Amino acid sequence: MVGIDFGKPLFTSEEIQRKIHELGARISTDYADKDLLVVGVLKGALFFMSDLLRSLRISVRMDFIHSTSSASQDREHPVHIIADMKEDIKGKHVLLVEDIIDSGLTIDFLKRMLADRGPASLKVCVLLDKPGRRQVQIEADYAGFRIPNKYVVGYGLDYKERYRNLPYIAVLPLEERQTP
């Protein structure tokens, strides 16, 4: 990309696609006889969810929830819902798709919120798992890559709404985080 060079990607576009196909095969097998609703967490999961849906060998429905994390990382109110999903999930099999589990606060909050709506099942699929920053005990049912405690961007992950469009995932250099 013009003006953006982070050197060697943490995960190339090809590595990401291979991992997504692996996840898609597992999910397709696990939900072969179920009616699945895939719920993406905006904005970060958009690229991942789009490619994941195309890799599934089963028919699914989709919806989105738009949330934002609290700047204070308040455990009582870690997430603000900007736009809720449209589907009623009572009695349905739901797969919540997120770009990354970092502190775990967002996924934990969303999972508890959705569980209260009475789905038949509720599982979580993430592209990246960063256990080094976990503040709550939560694990994804389907996880792509485990990463070190580094700030990453690309493929939907951002820094101040920038870099989401990178076709790979890279560690954001400290000097990039210090620019206005």
Side-chain angles (χ1 to χ4, degrees), residues 4-175:
I4 302 174
D5 182 12
F6 296 142
K8 185 178 183 293
L10 187 58
F11 302 107
T12 66
S13 181
E14 293 78 18
E15 289 170 319
I16 294 167
Q17 292 309 311
R18 273 194 303 275
K19 185 60 72 174
I20 289 172
H21 285 287
E22 289 173 20
L23 291 168
R26 284 183 49 215
I27 293 165
S28 294
T29 298
D30 291 352
Y31 289 94
D33 59 347
K34 296 178 176 74
D35 186 20
L36 181 62
L37 173 64
V38 179
V39 178
V41 182
L42 294 175
K43 298 179 190 173
L46 181 64
F47 295 98
F48 174 45
M49 181 173 161
S50 177
D51 287 343
L52 181 66
L53 288 171
R54 284 191 292 266
S55 76
L56 296 176
R57 299 183 313 259
I58 57 174
S59 179
V60 299
R61 289 173 299 128
M62 68 175 173
D63 203 344
F64 295 94
I65 190 164
H66 190 176
S67 68
T68 184
S69 299
S70 168
S72 66
Q73 291 298 307
D74 174 10
R75 283 180 176 248
E76 293 298 315
H77 301 88
V79 177
H80 300 284
I81 303 302
I82 296 169
D84 206 342
M85 28 187 310
K86 306 286 187 240
E87 292 264 351
D88 176 8
I89 64 171
K90 186 172 179 74
K92 296 178 182 170
H93 297 282
V94 177
L95 181 64
L96 185 62
V97 176
E98 176 66 295
D99 54 358
I100 187 170
I101 294 182
D102 194 313
S103 69
L105 295 171
T106 299
I107 283 292
D108 182 59
F109 177 89
L110 292 174
K111 192 172 179 184
R112 285 185 289 113
M113 182 184 85
L114 295 180
D116 287 345
R117 297 178 183 182
S121 69
L122 176 59
K123 291 190 176 181
V124 173
C125 178
V126 297
L127 181 60
L128 302 176
D129 181 13
K130 190 192 299 186
R133 291 214 352 117
R134 205 74 94 243
Q135 294 180 27
V136 295
Q137 183 59 35
I138 189 162
E139 297 296 326
D141 300 282
Y142 305 95
F145 301 101
R146 180 167 257 180
I147 64 169
N149 190 10
K150 303 279 186 188
Y151 199 101
V152 294
V153 294
Y155 199 71
L157 296 138
D158 74 299
Y159 174 71
K160 296 184 179 180
E161 294 299 327
R162 295 171 56 215
Y163 309 113
R164 287 188 196 276
N165 61 317
L166 292 173
Y168 54 87
I169 296 171
V171 174
L172 184 65
L174 187 57
E175 59 271 13

